[in-house]
């Protein structure tokens, strides 16, 4: 099976809903499905998190990170306190982060595992920077920007998890003739993971959209975060970046000092998130 056939095969399976997920993903999916209801009782959320010790540990850890505890509040020592501090939306994002990480757990090829780790570093960097861009630049809800950053490469993670079965699947492709299949795969993975439609639409728009001036949408937030982060995706294609003239346009709404400050804060936040998620 050549590369084109492999993409077509995986895309066809995805359309039929036959997605191959690690079994450990199911627990996080159950939490996501419950939290998708904003009226989910907190006791239900607590029970779901406590039922998964790994998620419980990560929830408490991230609630005590500088990202969510900058005012020096008391250390949180239980799941209830952690959920109250970070909120349902960030708990939803945390569950999604676990899903994304678990895709790499079934990769056996060392080169692919290394690529998955680099993609994770990029993912967390974009999520942390996107949160700040939402706060200071685009006015997009910063928790939504964080979540969108965490899941914006979920299609790439899924393909990496299947690449052991299809040698050469992720080799460089200058003519980009597999892009349509990749878009289908990403769309179906996001559907399976219950990614909200506005977030899914922004992620799908990353491939061929341009940033508006001034930037004011979730898509603009993701485009900016991908462009400005120094931690690049190992799967990134040239057309997914901003056009060459964009740097001068960015100067109109982010001055050099502010950008440096945001990049430094995002670097700290990404390190905090990575540490908490490694618990």
């Amino acid at each position: 099976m050549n590369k084109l056939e492999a993409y077509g095969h995986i895309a066809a399976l995805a359309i039929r809903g036959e997605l191959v997920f690690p079994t450990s993903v199911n627990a996080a999916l159950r939490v996501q499905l419950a939290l998708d209801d904003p009226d989910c009782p907190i006791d239900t959320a607590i029970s779901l998190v406590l039922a998964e010790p790994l998620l419980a540990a990560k929830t408490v850890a991230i609630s005590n990170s500088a990202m969510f505890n900058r005012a020096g509040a008391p250390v949180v020592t239980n799941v209830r306190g952690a959920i109250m501090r970070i909120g349902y939306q960030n708990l939803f994002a945390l569950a999604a982060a676990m899903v994304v990480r678990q895709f790499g757990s079934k990769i056996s090829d060392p080169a692919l595992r290394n690529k998955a780790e680099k993609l994770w570093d990029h993912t967390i960097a974009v999520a942390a920077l996107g949160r700040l861009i939402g706060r200071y630049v685009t006015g997009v809800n910063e928790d939504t920007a964080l979540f969108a950053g965490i899941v914006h490469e979920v299609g790439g993670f899924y393909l990496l998890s299947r690449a052991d079965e299809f040698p050469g699947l992720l080799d460089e492709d200058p003519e980009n003739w597999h892009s349509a299949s990749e878009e289908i795969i990403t769309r179906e993975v996001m559907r399976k993971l219950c990614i909200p439609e506005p977030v899914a639409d922004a992620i799908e728009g990353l491939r061929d959209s341009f940033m508006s001036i001034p930037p004011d949408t979730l898509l603009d937030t993701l485009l900016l975060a991908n462009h400005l982060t120094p931690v690049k995706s190992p799967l990134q294609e040239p057309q997914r970046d901003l056009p060459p003239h964009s740097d001068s346009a960015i100067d109109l709404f982010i001055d050099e000092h502010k950008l440096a400050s945001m990049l430094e804060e995002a670097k700290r936040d990404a390190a905090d998130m990575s540490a908490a998620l490694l618990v």
Side-chain angles (χ1 to χ4, degrees):
M1 184 179 293
N2 63 33
K3 182 175 180 177
L4 180 58
E5 291 171 335
Y7 265 96
H9 178 68
I10 296 173
L13 291 175
I15 290 171
R16 295 202 299 267
E18 298 176 22
L19 296 165
V20 181
F21 282 6
T23 55
S24 52
V25 164
N26 294 330
L29 284 177
R30 284 195 296 272
V31 175
Q32 283 189 286
L33 284 171
L35 295 176
D36 196 37
D37 177 6
D39 296 322
C40 172
I42 188 168
D43 287 338
T44 300
I46 291 169
S47 297
L48 286 166
V49 174
L50 286 174
E52 304 300 331
L54 186 61
L55 179 58
K58 292 179 186 297
T59 302
V60 172
I62 204 165
S63 73
N64 286 313
S65 70
M67 190 171 183
F68 293 103
N69 188 22
R70 295 193 184 280
V75 172
V76 169
T77 59
N78 56 76
V79 169
R80 180 182 294 272
I83 293 175
M84 294 294 288
R85 178 174 288 178
I86 71 173
Y88 276 11
Q89 193 165 8
N90 285 313
L91 180 58
F92 189 95
L94 181 59
M98 287 185 61
V99 170
V100 170
R101 286 293 276 168
Q102 288 301 319
F103 279 129
S105 67
K106 65 191 297 287
I107 298 174
S108 58
D109 182 88
L112 291 173
R113 289 187 69 89
N114 181 59
K115 189 168 285 191
E117 286 303 313
K118 289 181 177 178
L119 188 59
W120 173 250
D121 291 341
H122 166 76
T123 293
I124 290 297
V126 167
L129 184 56
R131 181 170 178 259
L132 298 177
I133 290 171
R135 181 190 303 170
Y136 296 119
V137 181
T138 60
V140 168
N141 180 285
E142 59 187 76
D143 293 335
T144 300
L146 176 72
F147 172 69
I150 285 173
V151 298
H152 84 285
E153 286 283 8
V154 71
F157 278 105
Y158 182 76
L159 287 169
L160 280 168
S161 75
R162 303 298 306 276
D164 276 331
E165 306 166 51
F166 302 98
L169 180 69
L170 295 175
D171 287 349
E172 289 187 13
D173 178 18
E175 297 182 7
N176 198 32
W177 43 256
H178 66 267
S179 60
S181 294
E182 185 176 346
E183 289 171 12
I184 292 170
I185 293 163
T186 297
R187 185 182 310 122
E188 294 305 318
V189 171
M190 289 194 294
R191 193 193 313 276
K192 175 70 172 178
L193 297 181
C194 304
I195 305 301
E197 187 174 343
V199 176
D201 288 345
I203 291 170
E204 288 191 54
L206 279 172
R207 180 174 297 278
D208 54 13
S209 297
F210 294 101
M211 185 183 70
S212 53
I213 303 295
D216 58 2
T217 67
L218 181 59
L219 173 57
D220 293 334
T221 303
L222 289 175
L223 285 168
L224 268 175
N226 269 284
H227 179 68
L228 294 174
T229 181
V231 186
K232 300 302 181 183
S233 166
L235 306 180
Q236 188 164 321
E237 298 166 0
Q239 65 267 36
R240 292 189 60 181
D241 212 342
L242 299 184
H245 66 270
S246 294
D247 285 325
S248 58
I250 290 170
D251 291 340
L252 298 175
F253 44 84
I254 310 179
D255 63 49
E256 186 176 348
H257 176 74
K258 184 63 177 178
L259 177 58
S261 173
M262 288 170 58
L263 289 173
E264 185 58 34
E265 185 173 352
K267 182 179 179 180
R268 292 195 302 268
D269 286 347
D272 284 342
M273 280 195 290
S274 289
L277 290 167
L278 286 173
V279 169

